Amino acid sequence: MLETITQQVIEVAKQAGAFIRQERQNFNADKIEYKGLNDLVSYVDKTAEGMIVAGLEKILPEAGFLTEEKTINRTGERYNWIIDPLDGTTNFIHGLTVFAVSIALKEYDELVAGVVYEINLDECFYAWKGAPAYLNGKEIRVSKAPKIADSLLATGFPYYDFTKQPQYISLFTDLMQHCHGLRRLGSAATDLAYTACGRFDGYYEYNLKPWDIAAGIVIVRQAGGVVTTFNGGNDVLEKCDVVATNGLIADELVSKIGEYFKD
């Protein structure tokens, strides 16, 4: 059942992605709205979300939704979709080509399926409970880097809540000196997908939302990786800080983060 659902979700994500790709060609800054400090949105996000919701309702009519743009307000008893129609909106608005559709399915309290469609590269990452993770039909696995010193890491910069910025900069400086490099793509969903397929060995970020990371969490875990909070816990969607790794560097990275971020 989950395989069939996931394949149907892939089609929904790709349809929304085609719309987003087309709209990017004629997009201009006059169409930007502000939800908060540096928190941008446009009609593209909202329209894409409406398309996704309509498509998913056909797959599981009884399911509820947790969506970034709040185009629907409904909670399901068993199933709930967690949707970011355009993860990387700031990149999209500025013409940078890293942005993705992110759709996850939660059954009761467990994430059971996830799809991340990286639009411009036409790369679809997906996974469901009990199966491997895939990229465009080919099985993917996390990397085999044994320690941080052998790793390429990804992160995200704070853009509106700067209360932990000093700790973040200190951690960033530390890791910068002890790994192959640090990257910031501007899309948490893409960062997680790239960790799942071994392009990144680890990824960390704080102050996220469930729709940023839910689908990517499923994909990383099914690809053999480990996803926790900054303190090593499993309540990632509740805390909304995330450490995703190949598993081999998980303890080392969580320990390093713990030197700078205390509960």
Side-chain angles (χ1 to χ4, degrees):
M1 177 183 175
L2 284 176
E3 179 179 1
T4 300
I5 288 173
T6 303
Q7 293 296 337
Q8 292 173 320
V9 174
I10 288 169
E11 294 307 309
V12 172
K14 287 186 174 181
Q15 289 170 9
F19 165 76
I20 293 167
R21 189 187 304 113
Q22 178 64 37
E23 292 305 305
R24 179 53 248 174
Q25 296 179 20
N26 301 309
F27 192 82
N28 65 69
D30 294 337
K31 299 173 181 177
I32 300 171
E33 301 173 30
Y34 286 81
K35 296 187 288 184
L37 177 64
N38 296 326
D39 193 3
L40 312 180
V41 69
S42 76
Y43 78 93
V44 177
D45 304 67
K46 296 176 182 178
T47 304
E49 183 170 290
M51 293 173 62
I52 293 168
V53 168
L56 297 179
E57 285 188 309
K58 296 176 183 178
I59 300 172
L60 285 174
E62 72 274 24
F65 292 87
L66 176 62
T67 67
E68 179 173 15
E69 307 309 333
K70 299 176 176 60
T71 56
I72 187 171
N73 182 18
R74 187 171 78 216
T75 301
E77 182 178 347
R78 179 176 180 181
Y79 293 109
N80 285 280
W81 299 104
I82 305 176
I83 304 167
D84 192 336
L86 178 48
D87 187 60
T89 296
T90 302
N91 284 351
F92 172 87
I93 287 171
H94 287 274
L96 300 178
T97 57
V98 181
F99 43 85
V101 176
S102 177
I103 304 172
L105 178 62
K106 192 175 185 182
E107 183 177 10
Y108 297 117
D109 292 326
E110 182 182 12
L111 291 169
V112 294
V115 173
V116 171
Y117 179 51
E118 212 291 318
I119 295 167
N120 290 286
L121 293 178
D122 191 27
E123 290 190 330
C124 192
F125 301 82
Y126 55 95
W128 62 91
K129 181 182 175 181
Y134 297 91
L135 163 56
N136 289 351
K138 296 183 179 181
E139 186 175 336
I140 55 175
R141 295 288 296 177
V142 292
S143 76
K144 297 180 180 179
K147 53 185 183 296
I148 288 176
D150 303 305
S151 299
L152 179 65
L153 304 177
T155 189
F157 300 149
Y159 64 94
Y160 68 92
D161 182 353
F162 303 106
T163 55
K164 298 180 180 178
Q165 185 173 348
Q167 302 98 299
Y168 175 86
I169 295 300
S170 296
L171 172 63
F172 188 84
T173 301
D174 188 336
L175 289 172
M176 187 188 305
Q177 297 173 23
H178 295 96
C179 69
H180 282 180
L182 284 156
R183 301 290 183 265
R184 200 279 191 177
L185 300 183
S187 166
T190 302
D191 289 328
L192 286 162
Y194 284 10
T195 302
C197 71
R199 294 174 187 170
F200 294 139
D201 305 293
Y203 158 68
Y204 68 95
E205 188 170 355
Y206 73 90
N207 200 35
L208 294 162
K209 301 296 184 183
W211 46 78
D212 298 320
I213 56 178
I217 289 172
V218 179
I219 298 166
V220 171
R221 286 175 174 166
Q222 297 307 126
V226 173
V227 185
T228 70
T229 62
F230 274 18
N231 65 6
N234 292 319
D235 51 341
V236 182
L237 291 185
E238 291 73 30
K239 291 286 186 65
C240 286
D241 55 55
V242 61
V243 183
T245 71
N246 61 5
L248 299 175
I249 68 167
D251 290 344
E252 185 183 6
L253 186 54
V254 167
S255 177
K256 179 62 67 176
I257 290 170
E259 294 177 19
Y260 299 93
F261 286 85
K262 309 297 183 184
D263 286 340

